[in-house]
């Protein structure tokens, strides 16, 4: 019923003609019906007229009320329509504002609006942050110019045209887009197309910056192989490196080594100062250890306070001992833990060698670990090899190096002089300076032991300078004493040539001792040329220009290339005593010696034979036209005073 009523009411309101017909029918029925009823009820014509007037008044009043009701209802309807429209508009504006504010301020999601031709019309704050262009710079500019790398221009233009035409967004994808500074930013890029009928499409790009996510992924990947605190390779990565080093060593028939190092009081430091102080200590230790390592070494943190060093292609046990010693020296300086807390720590090092001690990474680490525990039990801050024999050898070397340093510092070394004789005249014409070291505890130590040691630990530069300084000083004193001058031959190690300062040091020593350069001769072994021939030749030329003479020592034992002999500014060629010692029994040595003499003379060099011990050897050399000799036949190397006594017994002569 109510539904029908509502339907009728709705018809009345929506179709005014329907209401008018009803009104007309009712009105006409009323006029006709009421007149008939009144005529039937009232017979008196005056009364009838009076009542017809009342009826008219009533009808007018009723229609007036109806008109009022209708108009009032319409007015109310119009008012409520206005209010609803206003509310709807407000809602729309609010919704628009809400949407825009959200889009503008969505963090880390860059939203941009483009027209189909690529012109930017919307650019939110996150776009400013991700791409570096302000809203003002971006709006009106084509997206290709803004953020699309040139190699993607065609593809992007095509995709824009396709989206504009179909109204369908292309699938989301991961891209590397361009920032204002030219760098690329990884984004996950989604798209939306807004298109109403007969209007231009609006294309929205919604980009999520993946930089942080990528960084985190990279960090996670990094942490699979590296330690978070020190950034060094972790145990697993270290093992892989060892396996690779073993594979290479197998192919090359060489050796590799693993060192394990454990900090001695790390637990106490962690417990007393806290874990962040412990981390600081680990970082400082790792930085110091890293400084001792070369590309041949892999430093790793194996966990807790344990570090590892892989040494690829080991040349000698001494090299390992030296590295271990250097690593231990890093603990001499205190580590700063912050808040004024400086601590001194120490370490124990265990070393194992492939293939001597183990054949795979696991066993090598285990062997190094066992060696390290041996050190810990024996008193810490030391190193040990897996085999006791190697440990003893390495420790001796470290001990010897320490004593040599002390001997040098305390001037406990001595220069000996071995006479050099002119074969033709039999006169003493010079002396070779040979270094001697007599240690108070270890006794006499041969230069064949301590010179290579000094070379491998870098002490040779200081040592070589000491010999040069002391022998030139002694020579000047002899000159002052009126001793007839002779030639002073000083050995220079190949390693001294590899450093730039040899020439400057030499000039300084000559000046300091007022020593005439032509009395000095430097003996260089062939091996010096193997280090850096171009540099050695250049330095030799500088030295030669000073007036100092140059001799090539131990000729025939190195790589004896004739081409370099031609390039070197040499004065003397010294035949190694290995070619002299078996004369006259060894025919081949005699042939080699005579060939060297002939060759040297062809090249205008003088020749000195070393290690002459017998009259037969001397006779042979004289016969071959050799210029000079030295050796036990005339004299062993002598201390300065004995040498001068011998010299003074000789008829003086200069070369
Ligand atoms: N860079 C430097 N090297 C040096 C210095 N002092 C010595 N050396 C080098 O050490 C090597 C060994 O030297 P040394 O034990 O002194 O032996 C020399 C002579 O003593 C020895 N010699 C001499 N005559 C004879 C002999 O008749 N018989 C024999 N068995 N030995 C003899 O030969 C060595 C000569 O050395 P060199 O002429 O230099 O080859 C040695 O290589 C020295 O060079 C130094 O201060 N700096």
């Amino acid at each position: 019923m109510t539904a029908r009523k509502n339907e009728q009411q709705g018809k009345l309101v929506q179709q005014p003609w329907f209401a008018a017909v009803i009104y007309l029918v009712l009105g006409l029925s009323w006029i006709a019906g009421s007149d008939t009823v009144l005529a039937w009820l009232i017979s008196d014509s005056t009364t009838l007229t009076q009542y017809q007037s009342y009826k008219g008044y009533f009808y007018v009043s009723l229609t007036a009320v109806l008109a009022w009701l209708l108009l009032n209802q319409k007015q109310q309807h119009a008012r409520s329509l206005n209010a609803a429209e206003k509310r709807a508009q407000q809602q729309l504006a609010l919704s628009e504002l809400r949407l825009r504010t959200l889009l503008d301020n969505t963090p880390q999601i860059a939203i941009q609006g483009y027209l189909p031709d690529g012109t930017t019309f919307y650019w939110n704050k996150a776009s400013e942050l991700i791409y570096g262009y302000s809203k003002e710079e971006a709006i009106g500019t084509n997206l290709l110019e803004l953020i699309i790398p040139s190699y993607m221009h065609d593809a992007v233009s095509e995709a824009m045209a396709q989206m504009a035409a179909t109204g369908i967004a292309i699938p989301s994808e991961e891209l590397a887009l361009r920032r204002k500074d030219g760098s690329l930013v990884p984004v996950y890029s989604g798209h939306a197309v807004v298109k109403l009928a007969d209007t231009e499409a609006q294309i929205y790009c919604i980009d999520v910056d993946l930089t942080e996510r990528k960084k985190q992924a990279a960090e996670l990947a990094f942490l699979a192989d590296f330690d978070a605190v020190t950034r060094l390779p972790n145990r697993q990565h270290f093992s892989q490196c060892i396996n690779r080093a073993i594979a290479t060593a197998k192919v090359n028939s060489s050796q590799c080594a693993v060192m394990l190092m454990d900090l001695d009081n790390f637990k106490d430091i962690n417990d007393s100062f806290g874990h962040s102080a412990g981390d600081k200590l680990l970082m400082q230790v790792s930085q110091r250890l890293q400084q001792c390592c070369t590309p041949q070494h892999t430093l790793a943190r194996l966990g807790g306070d344990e570090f590892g060093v892989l040494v690829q292609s080991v040349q000698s046990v001494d090299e390992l001992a030296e590295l271990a010693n250097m690593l231990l020296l890093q603990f001499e300086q205190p580590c700063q833990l912050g808040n004024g807390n400086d601590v001194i720590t120490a370490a124990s090092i265990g070393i194992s060698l492939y293939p001597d001690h183990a054949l795979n990474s696991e066993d090598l680490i285990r062997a190094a670990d066992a060696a390290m525990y041996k050190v810990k039990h024996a008193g810490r801050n030391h190193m040990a090899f897996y085999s006791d024999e190697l440990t003893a050898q390495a420790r001796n070397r470290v001990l010897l190096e320490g004593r040599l340093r002390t001997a040098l510092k305390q001037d406990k070394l001595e220069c000996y002089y071995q006479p050099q004789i002119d074969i033709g005249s039999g006169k003493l014409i010079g002396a070779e300076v040979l270094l001697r070291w007599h240690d108070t505890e270890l006794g006499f130590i041969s230069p064949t032991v301590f010179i290579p040691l000094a070379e491998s630990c870098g002490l040779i530069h200081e040592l070589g300078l000491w010999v040069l300084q002391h022998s030139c000083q002694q020579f000047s004193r002899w000159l002052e004493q009126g001793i007839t001058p002779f030639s002073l031959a000083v050995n220079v190690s190949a390693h001294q040539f590899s450093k730039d300062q040899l020439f400057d040091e030499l000039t300084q020593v000559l000046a300091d001792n007022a020593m005439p350069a032509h009395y000095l001769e430097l003996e260089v072994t062939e091996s010096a040329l193997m280090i850096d021939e171009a540099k050695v030749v250049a330095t030799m030329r500088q030295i030669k220009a000073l007036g100092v003479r140059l001799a090539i020592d131990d000729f025939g034992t190195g790589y004896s290339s004739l081409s370099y002999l031609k390039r070197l500014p040499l004065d003397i060629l010294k035949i190694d005593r290995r070619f002299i010692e078996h004369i006259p029994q060894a025919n081949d040595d005699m042939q080699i010696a005579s060939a060297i003499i002939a060759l040297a003379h062809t090249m205008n060099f003088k020749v000195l034979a070393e290690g002459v011990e017998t009259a037969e050897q001397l006779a042979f050399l004289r016969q071959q036209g050799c210029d000079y000799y030295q050796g036990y036949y005339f004299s062993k190397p002598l201390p300065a005073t004995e040498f001068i006594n011998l010299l003074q017994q000789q008829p003086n002569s200069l070369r």
Side-chain angles (χ1 to χ4, degrees), residues 419-431:
Q420 296 179 328
I421 314 297
D422 181 288
I423 294 183
S425 64
K427 289 176 182 167
L428 191 156
I429 43 86

Side-chain angles (χ1 to χ4, degrees), residues 475 478-479 482-486 647 652-654:
F475 192 84
W478 284 332
L479 287 186
I483 286 168
T484 315
F486 52 89
L647 177 77
N652 291 330
S653 176
L654 261 181

Side-chain angles (χ1 to χ4, degrees), residues 415 418 432-436 444 446-448 450-452 455 460 463-464 467 490-494 496 523 525 553-554 574 576-577 581 610-613 617 630-633 635-637:
C415 288
Q418 184 172 39
E432 178 181 2
V433 182
L434 292 158
L435 191 58
R436 295 289 177 259
F444 175 77
S446 164
T448 52
F450 71 81
I451 294 289
E455 284 177 337
I460 192 67
L463 198 78
V467 174
V490 177
N491 285 287
V492 178
S493 157
Q496 288 174 266
E523 292 190 7
T525 54
D553 203 3
D554 305 338
K574 290 184 80 174
D576 191 73
R577 69 181 152 88
E581 65 183 337
E610 294 183 279
V612 177
E613 292 186 358
Q617 289 166 349
Q630 68 184 77
Y632 295 171
Y633 181 63
S635 166
K636 286 198 167 184

Side-chain angles (χ1 to χ4, degrees), residues 351-408:
I351 309 170
S352 62
L353 270 163
Y354 167 88
D356 292 3
H357 304 147
L359 297 175
N360 60 49
S361 65
E362 228 172 90
D363 291 348
L364 264 182
I365 292 180
R366 203 171 296 131
D369 205 44
M372 188 175 78
Y373 276 92
K374 247 188 324 193
V375 180
K376 279 191 177 283
H377 288 303
R380 300 167 181 248
N381 203 26
H382 274 299
M383 53 100 174
F385 282 84
Y386 183 64
S387 96
D388 291 340
E389 193 190 319
L390 290 183
T391 304
Q393 195 179 320
R395 286 205 180 149
N396 283 343
R397 188 189 176 283
V398 170
L399 180 89
L400 207 63
E401 184 187 320
R403 297 190 78 90
L404 180 60
R405 282 182 194 278
T406 312
L408 183 62

Side-chain angles (χ1 to χ4, degrees), residues 20 129 240 350 426 472 501 566 582 611:
L129 290 174
Q240 288 164 358
C472 288
Q501 64 258 41
K566 240 170 55 182
H582 301 299

